Amino acid sequence: MKILIVNGPNINMLGIREKNIYGTETYEDLLKFCEDAAEELGVEVSFFQSNHEGAIVDAIQAAYGKADGIVINPAAYTHTSVAILDALKAVSIPTVEVHISDVSKRDDFRRISYVREYCVKTVMGKGFGGYKEAMEFLTENYGTR
Ligand code: CA2
Protein backbone atom coordinates (compact mmCIF):
# COMPACT_ATOMS: atom_id res chain seq x y z
CA MET A 1 0.00 0.00 0.00
CA LYS A 2 1.21 3.50 -0.88
CA ILE A 3 0.38 6.31 1.53
CA LEU A 4 0.97 10.00 0.87
CA ILE A 5 1.34 12.19 3.96
CA VAL A 6 0.44 15.83 3.30
CA ASN A 7 1.21 18.61 5.76
CA GLY A 8 0.04 22.20 5.41
CA PRO A 9 1.37 25.61 6.37
CA ASN A 10 3.82 26.06 9.25
CA ILE A 11 4.09 22.35 10.00
CA ASN A 12 7.71 22.76 8.83
CA MET A 13 8.15 25.08 11.85
CA LEU A 14 7.23 22.49 14.48
CA GLY A 15 9.39 22.54 17.60
CA ILE A 16 10.34 26.18 17.16
CA ARG A 17 7.42 27.98 18.91
CA GLU A 18 4.13 27.08 20.62
CA LYS A 19 5.86 24.02 22.07
CA ASN A 20 3.13 23.82 24.72
CA ILE A 21 0.62 23.11 21.93
CA TYR A 22 2.62 21.22 19.29
CA GLY A 23 5.51 19.77 21.34
CA THR A 24 9.27 20.13 21.03
CA GLU A 25 9.89 17.78 18.12
CA THR A 26 10.62 19.14 14.64
CA TYR A 27 9.18 18.43 11.18
CA GLU A 28 12.24 16.26 10.49
CA ASP A 29 11.38 14.26 13.63
CA LEU A 30 7.83 13.86 12.30
CA LEU A 31 9.13 12.46 9.00
CA LYS A 32 11.35 9.98 10.86
CA PHE A 33 8.43 8.99 13.12
CA CYS A 34 6.20 8.34 10.08
CA GLU A 35 8.96 6.45 8.22
CA ASP A 36 9.40 4.15 11.24
CA ALA A 37 5.63 3.63 11.49
CA ALA A 38 5.43 2.86 7.75
CA GLU A 39 8.20 0.26 8.05
CA GLU A 40 6.40 -1.37 10.99
CA LEU A 41 3.14 -1.48 9.03
CA GLY A 42 4.78 -2.60 5.80
CA VAL A 43 3.54 0.35 3.74
CA GLU A 44 5.30 2.69 1.33
CA VAL A 45 5.21 6.29 2.46
CA SER A 46 5.91 9.60 0.75
CA PHE A 47 5.69 13.14 2.08
CA PHE A 48 4.59 16.55 0.90
CA GLN A 49 4.58 19.81 2.87
CA SER A 50 3.71 23.26 1.61
CA ASN A 51 2.70 26.65 2.91
CA HIS A 52 0.69 27.27 -0.29
CA GLU A 53 -2.89 26.13 -0.81
CA GLY A 54 -2.56 25.63 -4.59
CA ALA A 55 0.60 23.54 -4.15
CA ILE A 56 -1.31 21.25 -1.78
CA VAL A 57 -4.12 20.94 -4.36
CA ASP A 58 -1.48 20.07 -7.01
CA ALA A 59 0.08 17.41 -4.75
CA ILE A 60 -3.32 15.81 -4.09
CA GLN A 61 -4.08 15.78 -7.82
CA ALA A 62 -0.66 14.25 -8.53
CA ALA A 63 -1.51 11.39 -6.15
CA TYR A 64 -4.34 10.29 -8.47
CA GLY A 65 -3.64 6.74 -9.65
CA LYS A 66 -0.49 6.60 -7.49
CA ALA A 67 -1.41 6.69 -3.78
CA ASP A 68 -3.82 4.22 -2.17
CA GLY A 69 -4.35 6.40 0.89
CA ILE A 70 -3.70 9.94 2.07
CA VAL A 71 -2.98 11.20 5.57
CA ILE A 72 -3.51 14.96 5.64
CA ASN A 73 -2.91 17.65 8.22
CA PRO A 74 -4.01 20.71 6.26
CA ALA A 75 -3.03 22.88 9.27
CA ALA A 76 -4.66 26.34 9.02
CA TYR A 77 -6.21 25.42 5.65
CA THR A 78 -8.32 22.87 7.52
CA HIS A 79 -10.48 25.75 8.65
CA THR A 80 -10.72 27.62 5.34
CA SER A 81 -10.08 25.53 2.24
CA VAL A 82 -12.86 24.38 -0.05
CA ALA A 83 -10.16 23.90 -2.73
CA ILE A 84 -8.40 21.17 -0.71
CA LEU A 85 -11.76 19.49 0.02
CA ASP A 86 -12.62 19.54 -3.69
CA ALA A 87 -9.18 18.12 -4.64
CA LEU A 88 -9.68 15.21 -2.22
CA LYS A 89 -13.13 14.56 -3.69
CA ALA A 90 -11.72 14.75 -7.21
CA VAL A 91 -9.04 12.09 -6.69
CA SER A 92 -11.32 9.94 -4.48
CA ILE A 93 -8.47 8.43 -2.46
CA PRO A 94 -9.33 7.30 1.11
CA THR A 95 -8.08 10.08 3.37
CA VAL A 96 -7.60 10.48 7.12
CA GLU A 97 -7.48 13.98 8.65
CA VAL A 98 -4.90 14.41 11.41
CA HIS A 99 -4.25 17.22 13.88
CA ILE A 100 -1.42 17.22 16.39
CA SER A 101 -3.45 19.31 18.83
CA ASP A 102 -7.05 18.82 19.89
CA VAL A 103 -8.71 21.38 17.63
CA SER A 104 -12.08 20.74 19.32
CA LYS A 105 -10.75 22.31 22.53
CA ARG A 106 -9.10 25.43 21.13
CA ASP A 107 -10.39 28.59 19.36
CA ASP A 108 -13.91 28.34 17.93
CA PHE A 109 -12.60 28.81 14.37
CA ARG A 110 -10.44 25.68 14.73
CA ARG A 111 -13.57 23.55 15.28
CA ILE A 112 -14.51 24.05 11.65
CA SER A 113 -13.00 21.59 9.19
CA TYR A 114 -13.81 21.72 5.50
CA VAL A 115 -11.92 18.51 4.65
CA ARG A 116 -13.73 16.44 7.32
CA GLU A 117 -16.77 16.08 5.05
CA TYR A 118 -14.67 13.88 2.74
CA CYS A 119 -12.31 12.18 5.20
CA VAL A 120 -12.99 8.59 6.36
CA LYS A 121 -11.61 9.37 9.83
CA THR A 122 -10.26 12.25 11.92
CA VAL A 123 -7.58 11.89 14.60
CA MET A 124 -6.79 14.88 16.83
CA GLY A 125 -4.90 15.67 19.99
CA LYS A 126 -2.60 12.65 19.85
CA GLY A 127 0.59 14.38 18.75
CA PHE A 128 2.70 12.53 16.17
CA GLY A 129 0.90 9.33 17.25
CA GLY A 130 -2.14 10.54 15.30
CA TYR A 131 -0.25 10.06 12.03
CA LYS A 132 0.52 6.45 12.97
CA GLU A 133 -3.10 5.83 13.95
CA ALA A 134 -4.16 7.23 10.58
CA MET A 135 -1.72 4.97 8.71
CA GLU A 136 -2.93 1.96 10.72
CA PHE A 137 -6.54 2.79 9.88
CA LEU A 138 -5.79 3.04 6.16
CA THR A 139 -3.78 -0.20 6.23
CA GLU A 140 -6.50 -2.11 8.08
CA ASN A 141 -9.38 -0.80 5.98
CA TYR A 142 -7.86 -0.23 2.54
CA GLY A 143 -4.67 -2.30 2.68
CA THR A 144 -5.52 -4.77 -0.07
CA ARG A 145 -5.28 -2.04 -2.72
O1 CA2 B 1 -3.08 20.66 15.54
C1 CA2 B 1 -2.74 20.67 14.34
O2 CA2 B 1 -2.11 19.76 13.81
C2 CA2 B 1 -3.08 21.89 13.47
O3 CA2 B 1 -3.48 21.41 12.19
C3 CA2 B 1 -1.80 22.70 13.38
C4 CA2 B 1 -1.94 24.05 12.67
C5 CA2 B 1 -3.16 24.82 13.18
O4 CA2 B 1 -3.38 25.96 12.36
C6 CA2 B 1 -4.42 23.97 13.19
O5 CA2 B 1 -5.50 24.73 13.72
C7 CA2 B 1 -4.23 22.73 14.02
C8 CA2 B 1 -0.66 24.87 12.87
C9 CA2 B 1 0.60 24.18 12.34
C10 CA2 B 1 1.87 24.56 13.01
O6 CA2 B 1 1.88 25.88 13.50
C11 CA2 B 1 2.97 26.32 14.20
C12 CA2 B 1 2.81 27.51 14.92
C13 CA2 B 1 3.84 28.03 15.64
C14 CA2 B 1 5.07 27.38 15.66
C15 CA2 B 1 5.25 26.22 14.94
C16 CA2 B 1 4.21 25.69 14.21
Side-chain angles (χ1 to χ4, degrees), residues 16-48:
I16 295 170
R17 302 238 191 292
E18 300 208 71
K19 296 178 190 175
N20 54 326
I21 301 173
Y22 303 117
T24 55
E25 292 189 288
T26 66
Y27 178 63
E28 292 306 316
D29 295 330
L30 175 62
L31 299 189
K32 175 78 173 73
F33 176 87
C34 292
E35 274 164 3
D36 290 349
E39 198 178 325
E40 202 181 298
L41 295 167
V43 300
E44 246 182 77
V45 76
S46 58
F47 301 98
F48 181 80

Side-chain angles (χ1 to χ4, degrees), residues 9-11 13-18 22 73-76 78-79 98-103 106 110 131:
N10 298 307
I11 297 283
M13 300 294 277
L14 286 178
I16 295 170
R17 302 238 191 292
E18 300 208 71
Y22 303 117
N73 182 348
T78 307
H79 320 300
V98 171
H99 299 287
I100 295 165
S101 66
D102 186 349
V103 285
R106 297 180 61 194
R110 291 186 206 273
Y131 289 81

